Amino acid sequence: MDYLRKYFCFIIIAIVYYLLPAFCIVDTGSGMFVLFLILPVFTFFTAVFFTLINGFKWYYSFIVAALWLPNIIILNGSAAIYAIIFFVLSLVGQLTAFAMSKILLRR
């Protein structure tokens, strides 16, 4: 059970990264909504959630970016930039959660 708890965020991210673009992007407007709003917000808050449960892990942001790479084949080559964007967003989310936990535990 500890194994599932440890990798729960990766499983959820993989499901959302592959199913949401495949089923929700039907035209340009929905594609922009999913790629510019839904996925970045989801990536940030998943990183916060992961860090609050497991602590700061340096490899988490790399795995989040690597999970996006198959979407280059599914969508197109221009989706490669999102791997970098999701890496940065997950790193910022982790750092935010790490700082929040340190501040809250200090009191």
Side-chain angles (χ1 to χ4, degrees), residues 46-68:
T46 314
V48 169
F49 180 73
F50 176 84
T51 305
L52 290 176
I53 291 175
N54 298 312
F56 183 84
K57 305 292 183 196
W58 63 270
Y59 56 83
Y60 176 80
S61 297
F62 289 106
I63 293 174
V64 167
L67 284 172
W68 181 257

Side-chain angles (χ1 to χ4, degrees), residues 7-19 39 42-43 46-47 50 60 63-65 67-68 71 86 90:
Y7 296 108
F8 179 73
C9 286
F10 297 123
I11 295 167
I12 296 299
I13 288 173
I15 290 170
V16 170
Y17 273 8
Y18 303 135
L19 294 182
L39 289 177
F42 172 78
T43 302
T46 314
F50 176 84
Y60 176 80
I63 293 174
V64 167
L67 284 172
W68 181 257
N71 277 330
F86 294 149
S90 65

